[in-house]
Amino acid sequence: MDGSLMSGHRLPSTRILAKELDVARGTVTAAVEALIAEGLLETRTGAGTFVTMEASPEIAQPERVLTVETRQQRIVPDVDPRFDGPLNFQPCRPSMEAFPKQKWRRAVSDTASQTPSIDYGDPQGEPALRRAIASYLCRARGMDVDASEIIVTNGALHAMNILAQLMLGPLDKVGFEEPGYPLARQVFSRYGAGLFSLQVDGDGAVCETLPERGGNVRLLYVTPSHQFPTGARLSLRRRQGLINWAARNGALIIEDDYDGEFRFDIAPLPPMAAMKGGQNVIYFGTFSKTLFPGLRVGFACGPADLIAEMAIHRATSDYQSGTIVQLALGKFIQSGEFEKHIMRMRRIYGRKRKALADAINLSASDLKLQGTESGLNGLIRLPAGVTATMVAKLARGKGVFINSVRRYCSPESCVSDDALVFGYSAVSEAQIIQGVACLAQIVRDYRQ
């Protein structure tokens, strides 16, 4: 088709071609027969094989070069660069050291051995998995929910996108924690919503600064169980305050419970979705922290009519999450292995948390640890005059990856650059001790 062999050109015999190309004659014969079937070659009795008249190349000159034009501004995902060193203290990375591989393999194998359905699954999620999640939420969170009030998604970020597409327009606003989860911030901005900051203190998001009239505020995004990234826990008074404000102003609260399974020295507070007035709350959960991120399964739990609308909307995009993975996860939860794993990991993370606290106490560098009552990361407060962004930069030069709290702030944020976010879950106790020693030395050198 590129004109190398013109119409009427005679090909060598298959025997000669096979010898010249050093391949089997049968291979050449098969290729020639395929080209004859496509109408590019023809055989003439007693004469040989020729290129047909229809095989003449037709080279069209394009009128213009095709360019990709999008209606939305290009958004580069706000994620950390990959770091493969051993002293990686990024938050929200689960440990795989005690993952029950055999139990999980059995659940997947049992599911995969069944005859697959010839139909697509439910865009809302496999009923068996939704029932298992509802039962777990009842036991672990005290939430009285039904499978019809749950949609299975490809993670919490996927649920945010579905919800934002349904609810947000260019004039709408979203209340967002400052500091907060960068990718969630990008999702809401992508659909044209304006963001306003909910400042965070030791009791979580400061709801007292919300205006009496919310106007066009459609969503409030909060992480009440373990605020990301500060580790603060939203007080019961503020939880009720946010619920009351949302009810008065017709807003929806997104309760992102990304690592609330791991609590240590504190009794659990009820999820906002389980409190009085919780019908104004949609609860997001994920298995990325309890199991592993590559599973790509999360869920949203909320009013049945809203969940149904999300499922309808989702059906026109990716339609559903993978059926085999959903059913295997449902088996894993129903068998009790999921909760056994959580209890096992709670003990392991508890030991790592203690190693972090002990290392900081012994560092003799005026470092202070906070926000570790639950979750998989803590906040290391630095002495006055020490800039966290600079400490993080110097640490990376020594092979230690850690972020400052300002990494999770909007550009116009007024949050002080005086703290490091230390993710301790995916590293060993020895690595925690080594990392803290390195940070403490950097701080001492910085102050001299």
Side-chain angles (χ1 to χ4, degrees), residues 76-87:
V76 178
D78 190 358
V79 297
D80 289 323
R82 186 175 181 86
F83 181 82
D84 294 322
L87 300 181

Side-chain angles (χ1 to χ4, degrees), residues 91-92 177 179-182 200 223 226-232 258 377 408 421:
C92 303
E177 295 173 326
Y181 180 28
V200 174
T223 51
H226 185 241
Q227 200 279 328
F228 183 82
T230 69
Y258 67 99
N377 65 271
Y408 304 100
V421 180

Side-chain angles (χ1 to χ4, degrees), residues 9-63:
H9 188 105
R10 182 182 182 277
L11 268 66
S13 69
T14 56
R15 180 180 57 79
I16 293 175
L17 272 176
K19 184 177 181 180
E20 289 181 351
L21 299 175
D22 195 23
V23 296
R25 187 175 181 181
T27 301
V28 176
T29 301
V32 169
E33 289 175 350
L35 291 169
I36 290 173
E38 293 176 12
L40 299 177
L41 297 180
E42 62 182 358
T43 57
R44 299 175 189 172
T45 304
T49 303
F50 296 83
V51 179
T52 64
M53 297 303 294
E54 290 77 13
S56 298
E58 295 180 4
I59 304 174
Q61 295 298 325
E63 295 182 5

Side-chain angles (χ1 to χ4, degrees), residues 6-183:
M6 301 300 293
S7 296
H9 188 105
R10 182 182 182 277
L11 268 66
S13 69
T14 56
R15 180 180 57 79
I16 293 175
L17 272 176
K19 184 177 181 180
E20 289 181 351
L21 299 175
D22 195 23
V23 296
R25 187 175 181 181
T27 301
V28 176
T29 301
V32 169
E33 289 175 350
L35 291 169
I36 290 173
E38 293 176 12
L40 299 177
L41 297 180
E42 62 182 358
T43 57
R44 299 175 189 172
T45 304
T49 303
F50 296 83
V51 179
T52 64
M53 297 303 294
E54 290 77 13
S56 298
E58 295 180 4
I59 304 174
Q61 295 298 325
E63 295 182 5
R64 65 185 183 91
V65 177
L66 178 66
T67 58
V68 177
E69 297 179 0
T70 61
R71 294 185 179 275
Q72 290 186 343
Q73 181 182 1
R74 181 172 178 263
I75 298 176
V76 178
D78 190 358
V79 297
D80 289 323
R82 186 175 181 86
F83 181 82
D84 294 322
L87 300 181
N88 186 349
F89 302 114
Q90 288 175 281
C92 303
R93 300 169 69 241
S95 169
M96 298 303 294
E97 62 194 272
F99 183 75
K101 291 181 287 188
Q102 296 294 339
K103 302 291 178 60
W104 173 247
R105 185 182 295 120
R106 185 176 302 120
V108 173
S109 176
D110 290 348
T111 303
S113 65
Q114 299 172 8
T115 302
S117 171
I118 61 173
D119 295 317
Y120 288 99
D122 188 338
Q124 192 169 330
E126 288 300 311
L129 176 56
R130 288 189 283 125
R131 287 192 296 269
I133 292 172
S135 179
Y136 170 73
L137 291 176
C138 179
R139 295 190 301 274
R141 294 289 190 275
M143 295 172 61
D144 183 13
V145 297
D146 183 78
S148 64
E149 299 170 307
I150 293 174
I151 180 172
V152 177
T153 64
N154 299 325
L157 205 65
H158 183 209
M160 286 180 214
N161 272 279
I162 298 173
L163 192 65
Q165 287 175 333
L166 278 176
M167 297 193 63
L168 296 180
L171 299 179
D172 294 324
K173 292 185 177 181
V174 176
F176 195 86
E177 295 173 326
E178 188 70 80
Y181 180 28
L183 283 177

